[in-house]
Amino acid sequence: MDKRTDAQLITADIHKLSGTDFERLMEIYYKDQGYTVERVGGSGDSEVDLILRGKEGYKIAVQCKRWKQNVGNDTVLRLKAGKQVHGCYDAWIVTTSNFTKDARRDAERLNIQLINGIALENKLNAWRKKKRIG
């Protein structure tokens, strides 16, 4: 399959994207939100797909999961390590699905922000609407 353009990614159904295209969409989204984005991904990424840097300069480790099943606490625990490996201040998991009860519990204890599919769709829909107007 040919690589999708940024414009195609922005309008695509997130549930039909490959994992890599989902990461690229998140990269585009966060850049548009004012972050500097570094794509890490691949083997040895320590469970970090993107590193965001805000205007304040601190780094956020982001794990993107385009999954049908709920994300478990194993992902949360690995991202905690990845956050430290990459020297990040904060960590977020973004998914098209949801999170298990254990994942939510551990994320709260470890101060990792969880963004589920419903919240993500709301953010993306508002962003897409704004991009068409702006």
Side-chain angles (χ1 to χ4, degrees), residues 29-30 35 47-50 52 58 60-64 79 83 90-95 99 111-115 123:
Y29 172 77
Y30 285 119
Y35 292 96
E47 204 66 32
V48 175
D49 295 316
L50 306 173
L52 311 182
Y58 68 86
I60 303 161
V62 179
Q63 173 56 243
C64 304
L79 181 58
K83 170 185 163 184
D90 218 343
W92 302 346
I93 301 173
V94 181
T95 186
F99 298 92
N111 198 28
I112 292 175
Q113 183 179 340
L114 303 180
I115 302 165
K123 287 175 187 268

Side-chain angles (χ1 to χ4, degrees), residues 70-114:
N70 289 342
V71 177
N73 72 325
D74 56 325
T75 299
V76 171
L77 298 175
R78 287 196 309 265
L79 181 58
K80 167 77 166 114
K83 170 185 163 184
Q84 293 172 315
V85 166
H86 291 282
C88 296
Y89 174 80
D90 218 343
W92 302 346
I93 301 173
V94 181
T95 186
T96 53
S97 62
N98 210 335
F99 298 92
T100 65
K101 187 174 80 172
D102 288 345
R104 289 192 300 273
R105 179 201 64 219
D106 289 349
E108 187 174 330
R109 290 176 179 165
L110 297 171
N111 198 28
I112 292 175
Q113 183 179 340
L114 303 180

